[in-house]
Amino acid sequence: MSSARFVWVIAAGIFLVGLESTAVAQPVDENLDHAARLTFQAGSEAFSAGDYATALDRFQQAYDLSHRPVLLYNIATCLDRLRRDEDAVAQFNAYIEAVPDAHDRAEVEARVAVLQAAIDQRNAEQAERERIAAEAEAERERLRLEAERQAQNQDDDEGGGLHAGVALGLAGATLVVGGLIVWSGLNAVSRNDDFEAYANSPGANLAEAEVLFDDVVGAEIRTNALIGVAAALGAATVVIAIFTDWSFGGDSDDDEGDVQATPTASFSRDGGMVGLVGSF
């Protein structure tokens, strides 16, 4: 019998014994009592079959009928399996509060700590993504306004345009971000290798593996964000280049006329979502 099934057998026993003891201690509605028992059993079967969404619904119904504290643990575990971390933390804490002397309190608190760390990391990553997106949008708007201002001030008679340094500066910034993309991509690959090595090791721990996996996801998000910034800078470079006067030197007295040099540049991006392989 697997450890997960063993836990649910014990939980089922606690719940059913609790129903009987309540029946002895105080009068209960036999219809509600019977409905709670059947609903709990249906939830246990769904959980064993891996149907955590159905199990969650059944355990919640059983709790609404019986208000057994042990069902808060069952509800939290289903939420945990469904990766609804915030809800799982709330239900685990409700279970500890309802049963402060629970024999598995240490394990529950340890799991809450892991889930909370994952929640905090996701929130931090989301805030970072929003910050990067806001900065990129602000930079695009600044460049757009700058391009419009330069275009309006352009002296058509002299054939003037934006200074070449603007476009070259943007191109340089794009290359710098490209270098960061390469670094971030390599870092993501390294984190992924660490995760796979640990996950496939004989003494792998699920909680630690989840932390390593979240590190991989964070590195991938950072890489993709940098790619977005590089794309925005590259697009801005192209737009600015259109309004740039690439002529070098002025009028000459000889018959050869003006000498103009038009630099060309090509940019390559290396990065993207790093694929993950391996399993627990």
Side-chain angles (χ1 to χ4, degrees), residues 72 76 88-99 108-109 112 116:
L72 294 173
V89 167
Q91 292 300 320
F92 276 132
N93 286 333
Y95 168 69
I96 293 175
E97 182 178 352
V99 190
V108 172
E109 290 177 339
V112 167
Q116 190 60 55

Side-chain angles (χ1 to χ4, degrees), residues 1-86:
M1 179 181 296
S2 65
S3 58
R5 187 174 180 80
F6 179 71
V7 169
W8 284 104
V9 170
I10 293 177
I14 294 174
F15 178 71
L16 295 176
V17 170
L19 287 177
E20 294 177 359
S21 61
T22 301
V24 174
Q26 60 183 7
V28 295
D29 188 313
E30 293 184 358
N31 292 330
L32 291 179
D33 179 61
H34 182 66
R37 185 190 302 271
L38 294 178
T39 305
F40 175 82
Q41 292 172 344
S44 298
E45 293 172 0
F47 186 91
S48 298
D51 186 357
Y52 304 123
T54 299
L56 174 61
D57 290 339
R58 298 298 176 267
F59 289 137
Q60 184 63 59
Q61 292 170 5
Y63 178 76
D64 292 339
L65 292 170
S66 66
H67 295 287
R68 297 291 172 188
V70 69
L71 287 171
L72 294 173
Y73 176 88
N74 298 352
I75 292 170
T77 302
C78 291
L79 291 168
D80 190 359
R81 296 297 178 89
L82 292 170
R83 297 312 302 267
R84 292 170 53 179
D85 294 351
E86 289 84 353

Side-chain angles (χ1 to χ4, degrees), residues 221-280:
I221 293 173
R222 180 188 61 215
T223 302
N224 289 331
L226 288 172
I227 290 174
V229 173
L233 288 174
T237 301
V238 173
V239 173
I240 294 299
I242 295 175
F243 299 98
T244 297
D245 180 8
W246 294 104
S247 62
F248 293 90
D251 294 333
S252 62
D253 295 330
D254 55 27
D255 296 334
E256 293 181 359
D258 295 339
V259 178
Q260 294 184 343
T262 303
T264 60
S266 62
F267 304 96
S268 63
R269 292 185 297 148
D270 183 15
M273 185 63 71
V274 179
L276 296 178
V277 295
S279 60
F280 291 101

Side-chain angles (χ1 to χ4, degrees), residues 201-212:
S201 63
N205 176 268
L206 177 59
E208 182 63 23
E210 288 181 342
V211 172
L212 293 175

Side-chain angles (χ1 to χ4, degrees), residues 129-178:
R129 286 195 299 270
E130 292 175 356
R131 184 189 66 79
I132 292 174
E135 290 181 355
E137 181 61 28
E139 181 65 12
R140 284 195 294 269
E141 181 65 13
R142 186 190 70 78
L143 293 173
R144 184 186 67 80
L145 295 175
E146 178 67 15
E148 290 180 355
R149 185 183 68 81
Q150 293 289 349
Q152 292 172 356
N153 295 335
Q154 182 177 357
D155 187 351
D156 295 333
D157 294 337
E158 297 179 0
L162 294 177
H163 194 280
V166 177
L168 294 176
L170 286 174
T174 303
L175 291 175
V176 170
V177 176

